[in-house]
Amino acid sequence: MRPPAERSRPAKPNYLHDGYSVKSWLLTLDHKRIGILYLVAITLMFFLGGFFAFLMRVELMTPAGDLVTSDTYNRMFTLHGIIMIFFFLIPSIPAVMGNFVLPLQLGAKDLAFPRLNLLSWYLYMIGAIGTIAIILLGGVDTGWTFYTPFSTAYSNSHVFLMTMGAFIVGFSSILTGLNFIVTIHKMRAPGLTWFRLPLFVWAIYGTSLIQVLATPVLAITLLLIGLERVLGVGIFDPALGGDPVLFQHLFWFYSHPAVYIMILPGMGVISEVIATFSRKRVFGYKFIAFSSLGIAFLGFLVWGHHMFVAGISMYSAMIFSFLSMFVAVPSAIKVFNWTATLYKGSVSLDTPMLYALGFIGLFTIGGLTGLFLAAMGMDLHFHDTYFVVAHFHYIMVGGAVMAYFAAIHYWWPKISGRMFPEWWGRVSAVIVFVGFNLTFFPQFLLGYLGMPRRYHAYVPEFQLLNILSSAGATILAIGYLLPLAYLMWSLKYGKIAGPNPWGATGLEWKIASPPISHNFEETPVVTSPAYTFTEADFPDHVQEAKVV
């Protein structure tokens, strides 16, 4: 019971109740509200991108390509790729969970530059609204890679507008990364040394370095496409004296590190979830922390494996092949240490944990199949086949999206102050896992058998595997829609969560759910390493908070 003086003090409104008007949300400088704004926008873009994926799978159920024309199909997979990569996967965990959780984990009142943070969201929205407008105008048919000279000289779609949309949203990513780096350096609570930081912070730090250093390269590359397409400046088009291979170097110099912008924050989420639901300090804490920086560094050195068939020299291809295999080492360190953390842990299979375990399995398959593409000889066979599609979906969807769902469920009580129905959460996690594997595992076989990607028609011998893949996509869609329904339900009917429903460690669990606007009544002081569990954190407390 609170002392009399404290009981007489009126409770401060939480961040959700600190102003209800639209203006109070659109002009907010509170990192938590900006995280919610990102959550709403990114969710809309996720389902829009998923809609195009659904149309593609319907088209591929029959070999004749009788639903849409090849040109329409080109526009569908292009929009699916652009929306999912630039407007969902890259910003999802950093922009939503990084914004909401990072200052809480650091014991800070906000990010270092709140106005810059709000500007980042507006830049994202400008790019997103522009993309939706371009869809209404007819879309783009180049693929999300915008390969030249097709994108500069031959495509009749809205390439210039789409590249400008991606150009603008790139600045959102850069500013967010810059804000996170300064916040982590300057706004940690007293006693929160680098090796007491939660591993999610380390992951966001590595991600932010990539965002700041690599994204400008993509922005410049897209700007050059616009200059060549509009003004006819010869940069990439050989007919104008340009070099299309130069475009591939510039594009993949960003786009391969971008894979780690998508997956590194997810790895940080998994470290948090594994520790909490195993009731153990993460095995090899420093190895996981430094492996985040190792992945960020090595990610800049592997772009060449996308170009084994583009005409680069044999010697440079050998070096890129070695480096591409070497980047698996820090990733393998994480997987090994998560597994070792589970060993003899007090493991509870709550919804976030199910998603985390799904992440580990699917990411491992995606990583191992990446070694096939890093080997030059095998890449020649698999290049531009469905094997590549399956591989990067195991990383991006099986990895990044599973981690995003783990994060949403893990921090949902902190975000909303309510628990979600645990049974439905577990059902959804199982449906997503089954649907995902039924969708994408047949695509490994399709690629091995030689079915090229990006084709809207194919020979009949591939139909059975395509039907299996389309059936899996339907199951996967149900798995994704369920959380949308029960999380919305929980906002009104969910059980009150309390400050720490999972019995987790970390500063964000020391304050009320949802937090007050300035996060902490008093500046916290950290005196112990991350993930130091006590008896009070063990299952009785967790079981009481569950809602079935």
Side-chain angles (χ1 to χ4, degrees):
M1 180 178 292
R2 294 187 301 171
E6 194 175 336
R7 288 204 302 270
S8 62
R9 190 187 309 160
K12 292 185 178 180
N14 65 57
Y15 81 98
L16 291 172
H17 297 157
D18 197 4
Y20 294 95
S21 66
V22 174
K23 180 181 176 183
S24 72
W25 278 88
L26 294 181
L27 297 180
T28 184
L29 300 181
D30 187 334
H31 67 96
K32 300 181 289 299
R33 284 196 165 196
I34 294 174
I36 299 300
L37 292 174
Y38 272 116
L39 175 62
V40 173
I42 282 172
T43 300
L44 292 174
M45 296 305 281
F46 175 72
F47 283 105
L48 181 60
F51 173 71
F52 286 113
F54 177 75
L55 292 179
M56 289 161 57
R57 289 315 319 173
V58 172
E59 162 64 35
L60 292 172
M61 288 183 70
T62 56
D66 43 10
L67 179 66
V68 297
T69 65
S70 58
D71 182 60
T72 302
Y73 185 78
N74 289 346
R75 294 170 194 257
M76 288 196 303
F77 75 68
T78 299
L79 291 169
H80 167 69
I82 288 173
I83 292 170
M84 283 304 198
I85 289 173
F86 293 116
F87 295 95
F88 173 71
L89 285 168
I90 288 177
S92 58
I93 297 179
V96 178
M97 307 317 303
N99 258 306
F100 194 95
V101 174
L102 188 71
L104 300 180
Q105 289 192 326
L106 295 175
K109 291 182 177 179
D110 208 318
L111 289 173
F113 307 113
R115 288 180 172 78
L116 197 67
N117 196 24
L118 183 62
L119 174 63
S120 301
W121 181 75
Y122 275 106
L123 289 174
Y124 173 86
M125 289 305 298
I126 291 171
I129 292 171
T131 298
I132 293 171
I134 294 164
I135 294 172
L136 298 176
L137 291 174
V140 184
D141 62 353
T142 60
W144 76 277
T145 54
F146 300 111
Y147 269 9
T148 59
F150 180 70
S151 61
T152 56
Y154 300 104
S155 174
N156 293 320
S157 57
H158 299 279
V159 177
F160 177 73
L161 292 175
M162 186 59 81
T163 53
M164 290 303 102
F167 179 80
I168 292 170
V169 84
F171 280 95
S172 171
S173 183
I174 294 169
L175 297 179
T176 299
L178 184 65
N179 215 344
F180 287 167
I181 290 172
V182 176
T183 303
I184 294 169
H185 273 274
K186 296 293 185 182
M187 299 182 70
R188 301 194 307 274
L192 191 57
T193 61
W194 280 94
F195 293 118
R196 288 178 175 173
L197 287 173
L199 288 166
F200 180 69
V201 177
W202 276 98
I204 289 291
Y205 187 72
T207 305
S208 300
L209 292 175
I210 302 174
Q211 286 175 299
V212 171
L213 296 175
T215 310
V217 177
L218 177 70
I220 293 169
T221 306
L222 296 178
L223 189 63
L224 292 176
I225 285 182
L227 287 175
E228 181 162 302
R229 187 173 176 87
V230 175
L231 303 178
V233 179
I235 302 168
F236 303 123
D237 187 351
L240 300 173
D243 183 0
V245 179
L246 172 63
F247 172 83
Q248 294 190 38
H249 279 292
L250 293 173
F251 181 83
W252 288 113
F253 181 80
Y254 164 80
S255 294
H256 199 85
V259 171
Y260 302 111
I261 294 176
M262 303 175 216
I263 204 69
L264 256 180
M267 291 173 162
V269 171
I270 300 308
S271 296
E272 299 293 315
V273 172
I274 291 289
T276 295
F277 294 97
S278 300
R279 307 287 147 191
K280 282 178 67 181
R281 178 172 166 79
V282 176
F283 180 82
Y285 169 94
K286 289 186 178 179
F287 282 96
I288 289 193
F290 283 120
S291 68
S292 293
L293 300 184
I295 290 172
F297 173 72
L298 291 171
F300 283 98
L301 306 177
V302 299
W303 81 89
H305 74 244
H306 291 272
M307 304 172 61
F308 287 158
V309 298
I312 62 175
S313 75
M314 179 63 71
Y315 295 109
S316 59
M318 290 170 62
I319 293 171
F320 280 121
S321 176
F322 169 77
L323 290 171
S324 299
M325 293 187 182
F326 192 68
V327 78
V329 173
S331 299
I333 287 173
K334 288 181 183 292
V335 173
F336 172 78
N337 286 3
W338 291 327
T339 308
T341 305
L342 292 169
Y343 180 65
K344 290 190 175 179
S346 180
V347 176
S348 52
L349 297 177
D350 296 87
T351 304
M353 187 64 156
L354 291 179
Y355 277 109
L357 295 176
F359 170 96
I360 294 174
L362 300 178
F363 174 76
T364 301
I365 294 173
L368 290 174
T369 52
L371 296 177
F372 289 75
L373 301 174
M376 290 184 290
M378 299 196 75
D379 183 73
L380 293 179
H381 175 69
F382 290 132
H383 191 85
D384 266 343
T385 70
Y386 264 86
F387 189 94
V388 179
V389 177
H391 158 69
F392 75 69
H393 278 85
Y394 264 81
I395 296 290
M396 297 294 97
V397 183
V401 177
M402 291 289 273
Y404 180 68
F405 274 73
I408 289 289
H409 287 85
Y410 182 56
W411 280 301
W412 185 255
K414 186 59 58 182
I415 293 171
S416 67
R418 302 273 184 171
M419 298 301 294
F420 53 84
E422 178 65 26
W423 188 84
W424 281 107
R426 293 178 184 178
V427 168
S428 171
V430 171
I431 290 175
V432 167
F433 186 82
V434 172
F436 173 84
N437 281 290
L438 186 57
T439 303
F440 293 106
F441 194 82
Q443 295 182 13
F444 280 126
L445 304 177
L446 285 170
Y448 172 75
L449 294 171
M451 178 170 169
R453 58 197 287 202
R454 304 192 181 101
Y455 279 34
H456 87 303
Y458 53 86
V459 294
E461 66 193 69
F462 296 139
Q463 185 174 16
L464 176 60
L465 290 171
N466 271 298
I467 288 176
L468 287 175
S469 189
S470 297
T474 306
I475 296 171
L476 190 59
I478 294 170
Y480 286 149
L481 286 169
L482 273 177
L484 182 67
Y486 64 68
L487 291 178
M488 292 300 100
W489 176 89
S490 76
L491 288 176
K492 186 171 183 179
Y493 302 106
K495 185 177 179 180
I496 300 297
N500 190 3
W502 307 124
T505 64
L507 292 176
E508 77 268 33
W509 302 107
K510 308 295 184 191
I511 57 177
S513 304
I516 61 174
S517 295
H518 294 292
N519 299 344
F520 297 91
E521 297 273 6
E522 297 176 359
T523 303
V525 177
V526 179
T527 58
S528 58
Y531 315 115
T532 303
F533 289 94
T534 64
E535 290 295 326
D537 297 322
F538 269 70
D540 285 344
H541 184 59
V542 175
Q543 295 302 328
E544 289 176 6
K546 289 179 182 174
V547 176
V548 178

